[in-house]
């Protein structure tokens, strides 16, 4: 599908099952003047196609589709709208929301067919060089791609631009780009932390929303239009699509050279075309009824809370998604994907989520995609959309139960509506065995996190008791209400030494819990040095100092602490089991009138570990099992790793790890 240079010309193929005709429109190199229009052959099995002899890479083109305009039946064909090829490898032009992009005119009581032509202001596709040429760097990158065992993974969720925009060790001309992420200063930081895998926020070509407040943009990028193109906003040469592709490939290849994997956050649940009254830009104009989930009255299902929902249950839409994923692995070199609102992918034609959905079956039998990392955000906005534990096979899943249990346990009474019991905390620390073990999933299926891009940073979790999102332009209505957090006596930054000390202790304890828990740990970029967003828990439109990592204020001591935790995890196989082992954990409450507890890991092994948790505000005694024990880590800042005999004391708001060195 799409446009491919081959055999002395360019071959074109587009799926449009309900169209009566599709025209290929050719433009000059700048995309301004239409130079020719060619009617494609078909449809053959819903595909329109044609071969253009002597055409070469660099050719600029768009599409016009003819078919029924019948909104009540889900059809919105309008040949006056130039359409962007959904399979485009290169996109040219600058997009602005204009009335001409809509296929209708909305009157007082009804809508009418719109005959305004939008070609002059529409985005166009450009034929990319053959994959054998363009993929040379990617092929080299795949050849040296690291293959980390699932039990060894440490994920690092990061925004390409936000990571480096204020990084003093990266040249100013590179900051905010793909190249910056592969700069030696960035790589040194990742290696110091023990990161194995970068999980990038969306890098696909995306659009801003049509009604953005002045000065704001869709910074996170969860609004994909070009599913085969890196976003030019993150490139050194944004005006040259070929250069953007090459820069992305070089970034991946360089990261691979240093043993770092790259996972992409992908958005196959909705597009920027909005609800049934949205613009006609690409998929809608080719075949709305096939590409989107359409209800009986012609309105679009909205399982994404963004106006529309891709109809992945349709075989050709499944193919479209798989084509995109394969492109990013084979032509761009990446190592896997995190799927936004992934429950959408498992909904059958009747709307019910199923582990045996056709998409999952197709994905797992694919010889390329069955080998890469697959991570689900295991919910969507529809009925019965929460599907934690519901994904098949070797899928990993973001586990929000771990986040809430960890925060609730350590924040305790300071956090409103916590209600986290010791039993709940123990389950989450043990890779959520209650969820994954009965389903024959592995401990690594649970992607553990305390903070991610969507919500408070770790430093803000202990500095605020409520969200502060007024900068987003929605009068503080956006963002999650009731997020587990606590300010420990003062809202926002303070110089009160007691509050500062308590916040640091709790933050260290939560970070230690994340890094030492069984399952797959995921760091949110910046949490390793105390990055703050001023209490903004939904900084999706903040392409500024709020959304960028605050490197000038980085806490070097906390970075060292996270690196120590990572090294401890790597050195102790008992902390990162690949399989379930019966009797591998032995839990006990330490004091009946507190939440304190301890876990002996590998009690029947020669050198078991003891992890003790004290979420209270006072030190507590810790009776030790028989034998001689050595402190490996104390988040309460004890530094002496000395043998202990009968008991020790756990600092307030701290986690302690001990290892038996002699029976």
């Amino acid at each position: 599908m799409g446009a491919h240079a081959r055999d002395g010309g360019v071959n074109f193929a587009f799926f449009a099952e309900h169209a009566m005709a599709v025209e290929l429109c050719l433009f000059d190199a700048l995309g301004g003047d239409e130079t020719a229009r060619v009617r494609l052959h078909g449809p053959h099995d819903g595909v329109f196609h044609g071969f253009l002899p002597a055409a070469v890479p660099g050719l600029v083109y768009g599409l016009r589709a003819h078919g029924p305009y019948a909104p009540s039946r889900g059809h919105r064909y309008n040949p006056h709208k130039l359409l962007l090829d959904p399979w485009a490898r290169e996109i040219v032009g600058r997009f602005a929301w204009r009335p001409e992009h809509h296929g209708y005119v909305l009157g007082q009581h009804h809508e009418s067919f719109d005959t305004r032509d939008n070609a002059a202001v529409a985005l166009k596709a450009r034929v990319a060089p053959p994959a054998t040429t363009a993929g040379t760097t990617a092929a080299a990158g795949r050849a040296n791609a690291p293959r980390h065992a699932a039990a060894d993974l440490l994920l690092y969720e990061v925004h390409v631009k936000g990571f480096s925009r204020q990084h003093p060790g990266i040249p100013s001309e590179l900051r905010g780009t793909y190249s910056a992420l592969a700069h030696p200063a960035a790589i040194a930081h990742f290696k110091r932390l023990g990161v194995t895998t970068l999980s990038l926020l969306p890098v696909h070509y995306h659009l801003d929303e049509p009604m953005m407040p002045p000065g704001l943009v869709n910074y996170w990028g969860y609004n994909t239009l070009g599913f085969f193109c890196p976003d030019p906003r993150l490139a050194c040469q944004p005006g040259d699509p070929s250069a953007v592709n090459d820069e992305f490939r070089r970034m991946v290849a360089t990261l691979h050279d240093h043993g770092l994997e790259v996972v992409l956050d992908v958005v196959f649940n909705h597009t920027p075309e909005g609800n049934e009254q949205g613009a006609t830009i690409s998929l809608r104009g080719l075949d709305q009824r096939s590409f989107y989930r359409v209800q009986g009255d012609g309105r679009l299902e909205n399982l994404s809370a963004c106006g529309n929902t891709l109809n992945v249950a349709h075989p050709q839409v499944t193919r479209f998604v798989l084509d995109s994923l394969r492109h990013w692995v084979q032509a761009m070199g990446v190592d896997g994907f995190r799927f936004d609102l992934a429950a959408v992918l498992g909904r059958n034609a009747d709307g019910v989520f199923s582990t045996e959905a056709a998409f999952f079956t197709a994905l797992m039998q694919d010889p390329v995609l069955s080998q890469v990392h697959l991570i689900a955000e295991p919910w969507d906005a529809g009925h019965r959309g929460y599907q934690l534990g519901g994904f098949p096979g070797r899928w990993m899943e973001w586990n929000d139960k771990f986040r809430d249990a960890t925060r609730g346990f350590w924040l305790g009474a300071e956090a409103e509506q916590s209600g986290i019991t010791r039993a709940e905390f123990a389950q989450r620390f043990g890779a959520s065995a209650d969820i994954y073990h009965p389903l024959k999933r592995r401990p690594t299926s649970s992607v553990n996190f305390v903070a991610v891009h969507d919500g408070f940073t770790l430093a803000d979790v202990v500095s605020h008791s409520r969200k502060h999102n007024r900068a987003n332009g929605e009068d503080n209505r956006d963002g999650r209400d009731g997020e587990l957090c606590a300010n420990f006596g003062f809202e926002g930054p303070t110089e009160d030494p007691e509050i500062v000390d308590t916040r640091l202790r709790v933050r260290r304890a939560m970070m230690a819990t994340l890094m030492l828990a069984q399952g797959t740990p995921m760091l949110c970029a910046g949490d390793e040095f105390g990055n703050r967003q001023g209490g903004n828990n939904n900084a999706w439109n903040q392409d500024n100092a709020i959304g960028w990592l605050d490197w000038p204020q980085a806490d070097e001591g906390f970075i060292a602490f996270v690196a120590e935790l990572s090294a401890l995890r790597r050195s102790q196989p008992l902390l990162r089991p690949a399989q379930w082992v019966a009797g591998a954990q032995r839990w006990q409450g330490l004091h009946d009138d507190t939440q304190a507890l301890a876990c002996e890991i590998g009690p029947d092994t020669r050198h078991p570990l003891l992890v003790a948790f004290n979420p209270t505000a006072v030190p507590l005694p810790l009776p030790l099992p028989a034998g001689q024990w050595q402190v490996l880590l104390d988040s309460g800042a004890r530094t002496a790793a000395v043998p202990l005999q009968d008991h020790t004391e756990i600092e307030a708001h701290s986690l302690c790890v001990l290892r038996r060195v002699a029976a």
Side-chain angles (χ1 to χ4, degrees):
M1 295 292 177
H4 297 274
R6 53 171 295 172
D7 303 328
V10 176
N11 195 71
F12 296 89
F14 311 100
F15 173 74
E17 184 175 21
H18 296 97
M20 294 182 290
V22 174
E23 295 175 307
L24 177 69
C25 303
L26 307 181
F27 290 82
D28 62 25
L30 298 178
D33 295 325
E34 185 174 344
T35 60
R37 190 175 297 190
V38 181
R39 184 162 176 156
L40 297 173
H41 302 295
H44 297 118
D45 293 329
V47 177
F48 291 84
H49 57 93
F51 182 76
L52 198 61
V56 296
L59 180 67
V60 177
Y61 67 95
L63 305 170
R64 296 183 188 272
H66 299 257
Y69 184 81
S72 63
R73 293 188 287 120
H75 299 306
R76 289 184 174 269
Y77 286 100
N78 188 334
H80 301 285
K81 308 304 169 185
L82 188 78
L83 307 175
L84 178 68
D85 173 9
W87 291 269
R89 268 63 172 174
E90 296 185 359
I91 298 174
V92 296
R94 293 176 62 89
F95 185 85
W97 289 102
R98 299 170 62 104
E100 298 97 308
H101 293 309
H102 287 261
Y104 68 94
V105 176
L106 186 61
Q108 185 174 1
H109 300 294
H110 62 88
E111 59 181 63
S112 59
F113 190 71
D114 183 19
T115 59
R116 289 174 296 183
D117 195 291
N118 74 328
V121 293
L123 293 172
K124 284 95 177 175
R126 191 170 81 175
V127 178
T132 53
T133 301
T136 301
T137 305
R142 292 307 305 158
N144 72 342
R147 295 190 54 98
H148 298 294
D152 296 335
L153 294 182
L154 173 54
L155 300 171
Y156 186 81
E157 193 204 25
V158 60
H159 189 285
V160 170
K161 182 174 185 178
F163 176 82
S164 63
R165 190 63 182 82
Q166 299 188 96
H167 197 300
I170 295 176
S172 58
E173 65 272 17
L174 296 182
R175 293 177 191 169
T177 69
Y178 301 118
S179 295
L181 206 62
H183 186 271
I187 291 172
H189 182 70
F190 304 145
K191 300 291 284 185
R192 180 184 182 187
L193 295 177
V195 168
T196 64
T197 308
L198 304 184
S199 183
L200 307 186
L201 265 67
V203 298
H204 289 176
Y205 192 110
H206 79 277
L207 300 184
D208 296 328
E209 277 67 14
M211 300 297 291
M212 296 293 295
L216 301 180
V217 298
N218 186 327
Y219 169 61
W220 285 348
Y222 289 92
N223 205 29
T224 302
L225 180 67
F227 291 89
F228 294 76
C229 300
D231 198 301
R233 294 186 241 194
L234 305 175
C236 292
Q237 296 177 259
D240 183 348
S242 295
V244 174
N245 283 328
D246 289 342
E247 182 181 350
F248 185 92
R249 294 187 186 101
R250 287 195 304 271
M251 174 197 73
V252 174
T254 302
L255 291 169
H256 282 176
D257 283 340
H258 293 273
L260 294 161
E261 298 176 315
V262 178
V263 166
L264 303 186
D265 197 334
V266 290
V267 186
F268 290 107
N269 54 75
H270 78 282
T271 78
E273 291 187 304
N275 65 17
E276 60 277 358
Q277 294 183 337
T280 299
I281 305 172
S282 183
L283 297 176
R284 169 168 288 133
L286 277 178
D287 195 339
Q288 175 175 268
R289 190 160 189 92
S290 294
F291 280 105
Y292 296 112
R293 297 184 69 95
V294 180
Q295 302 179 82
D297 58 1
R299 292 183 300 162
L300 302 188
E301 286 191 65
N302 187 18
L303 305 178
S304 65
C306 296
N308 61 55
T309 308
L310 280 176
N311 184 22
V312 184
H314 190 291
Q316 285 288 358
V317 183
T318 290
R319 177 183 177 181
F320 172 72
V321 175
L322 296 179
D323 283 351
S324 172
L325 298 176
R326 264 193 306 272
H327 171 75
W328 285 96
V329 174
Q330 294 179 302
M332 308 302 279
V334 306
D335 306 285
F337 306 94
R338 178 267 189 190
F339 295 84
D340 182 63
L341 299 183
V344 163
L345 304 173
R347 290 187 181 269
N348 291 321
D350 59 4
V352 177
F353 179 89
S354 172
T355 301
E356 299 178 351
F359 174 78
F360 294 145
T361 301
L363 188 68
M364 296 311 292
Q365 63 80 41
D366 188 284
V368 174
L369 301 177
S370 61
Q371 305 302 310
V372 302
H373 294 306
L374 303 172
I375 305 172
E377 182 184 39
W379 49 78
D380 63 23
H383 177 63
R384 299 187 69 178
Y386 188 75
Q387 293 294 333
L388 182 68
F391 285 73
R394 60 181 186 81
W395 277 76
M396 295 183 285
E397 300 171 357
W398 275 25
N399 188 348
D400 61 326
K401 290 184 180 293
F402 179 93
R403 174 199 64 199
D404 293 345
T406 300
R407 289 192 191 182
F409 178 81
W410 289 108
L411 298 176
E414 295 286 338
E416 295 181 9
Q417 302 176 340
S418 171
I420 297 298
T421 65
R422 290 193 293 193
E424 169 73 6
F425 177 77
Q427 288 282 16
R428 303 307 147 228
F429 189 84
S432 294
D434 58 326
I435 297 173
Y436 294 108
H437 187 239
L439 299 171
K440 302 187 186 306
R441 305 279 297 283
R442 297 179 179 180
T444 52
S445 298
S446 176
V447 175
N448 301 330
F449 61 94
V450 180
V452 291
H453 71 277
D454 185 7
F456 282 129
T457 68
L458 180 58
D460 281 353
V461 165
V462 299
S463 302
H464 298 276
S465 60
R466 59 188 182 277
K467 64 185 184 182
H468 298 270
N469 295 355
R470 294 195 179 277
N472 297 350
E474 298 181 47
D475 199 28
N476 211 38
R477 294 188 300 271
D478 65 306
R480 188 158 63 103
D481 292 314
E483 188 169 356
L484 283 170
C485 57
N487 64 20
F488 294 95
F490 187 86
E491 188 69 10
T494 179
E495 296 182 1
D496 184 305
E498 184 175 344
I499 295 177
V500 169
D501 179 68
T502 300
R503 288 177 177 177
L504 179 60
R505 284 175 174 274
V506 173
R507 188 154 54 93
R508 286 168 64 95
M510 286 195 284
M511 180 61 75
T513 301
L514 169 64
M515 296 293 285
L516 303 179
Q518 299 185 353
T520 302
M522 181 172 68
L523 283 169
C524 180
D527 281 351
E528 73 273 20
F529 63 71
N531 186 61
R532 302 175 184 274
Q533 293 181 170
N536 191 322
N537 76 344
N538 187 37
W540 72 282
N541 57 10
Q542 299 297 321
D543 187 6
N544 51 47
I546 295 175
W548 305 334
L549 299 193
D550 190 6
W551 286 101
Q553 300 299 319
D555 181 346
E556 177 64 27
F558 206 83
I559 295 175
F561 175 66
V562 176
E564 181 184 1
L565 291 170
S566 179
L568 177 59
R569 180 182 182 87
R570 292 193 303 274
S571 71
Q572 301 296 326
L574 288 174
L575 295 173
R576 43 186 178 82
Q579 304 289 344
W580 303 108
V581 179
Q585 299 176 7
R586 183 181 297 158
W587 288 88
Q588 65 177 29
L590 296 181
H591 302 274
D592 291 338
D593 58 344
T594 74
Q595 287 279 73
L597 73 166
C599 177
E600 190 174 358
I601 303 176
D604 298 324
T605 61
R606 182 179 179 184
H607 298 293
L609 299 176
L610 184 68
V611 186
F613 310 84
N614 176 16
T616 75
V618 296
L620 293 174
L622 171 63
L624 297 175
Q628 190 176 43
W629 294 81
Q630 182 182 40
V631 176
L632 299 181
L633 178 131
D634 189 329
S635 71
R638 179 188 290 132
T639 57
V642 297
L644 302 169
Q645 294 292 337
D646 301 320
H647 68 278
T648 187
E649 188 175 73
I650 322 175
E651 300 278 349
H653 304 299
S654 67
L655 177 155
C656 186
V657 182
L658 303 94
R659 179 173 179 264
R660 190 171 68 189
V661 295

